[in-house]
Amino acid sequence: MLTLDLTNAPRWHDLAPGVRVQLRLLTTALMVATRSDPALEAVPEEATDEERAVAFAKALARRAVLVWEGVGDADGNVIEPSPEAIDALLDIWPIFEAFQLTYVSKGLLLEQEKNASALSPTGPSVGATDTARLARDAAKTAPRG
């Protein structure tokens, strides 16, 4: 059964020990706005799928991040989210992976379920989600300029 959350309330997501972000609910409007982000339209035609996935994740995060905890500048001073700071945060590999896993892949789960077979109930892939593929596929559908 599909469960609807009619509140659209932001949620906290832990991205690393001591680092968490409050994100808008991943809605259709948010995805559509992200797909038309000028940064995605500026991605060169010859860009790799991985480069497109990173550009998409950053564009989405710039729209979704409301507040965060545990993020500071080089001097250890707490900083507020800004487009540049959000991009820098997602340049940290474990943070990017956590963002993809806890936010992007869960938002795309319904899309994945209608287009793919269920995960194997046994073996090393139990419970695994190919978040890189999900983000890549989402970035591929983004309109280009």
Side-chain angles (χ1 to χ4, degrees):
M1 175 189 303
L2 177 65
T3 303
L4 297 177
D5 181 354
L6 300 179
T7 66
N8 283 346
R11 302 280 191 315
W12 283 97
H13 296 266
D14 294 321
L15 299 183
V19 177
R20 67 186 200 142
V21 293
Q22 188 181 55
L23 301 168
R24 291 181 187 354
L25 193 64
L26 188 56
T27 62
T28 301
L30 190 61
M31 288 296 286
V32 169
T34 301
R35 287 180 178 170
S36 62
D37 188 284
L40 290 179
E41 293 175 6
V43 173
E45 190 70 31
E46 64 275 3
T48 66
D49 289 343
E50 291 78 14
E51 291 167 329
R52 291 183 197 290
V54 169
F56 183 83
K58 287 181 177 183
L60 180 59
R62 286 190 299 269
R63 286 178 166 72
V65 172
L66 299 171
V67 295
W68 58 28
E69 294 176 355
V71 180
D73 63 15
D75 296 324
N77 300 311
V78 174
I79 59 173
E80 295 297 319
S82 68
E84 298 79 19
I86 291 168
D87 285 357
L89 183 67
L90 286 183
D91 281 337
I92 301 168
W93 176 251
I95 298 290
F96 173 82
E97 282 290 298
F99 179 77
Q100 293 289 82
L101 182 63
T102 65
Y103 186 65
V104 179
S105 68
K106 289 193 186 304
L108 299 175
L109 190 58
L110 288 175
E111 185 68 24
Q112 176 190 15
E113 287 176 356
K114 73 177 185 182
N115 289 319
S117 301
L119 296 172
S120 172
T122 61
S125 66
V126 171
T129 302
D130 187 353
T131 59
R133 182 181 55 78
L134 292 172
R136 178 198 67 217
D137 293 347
K140 278 184 175 180
T141 62
R144 295 186 198 130

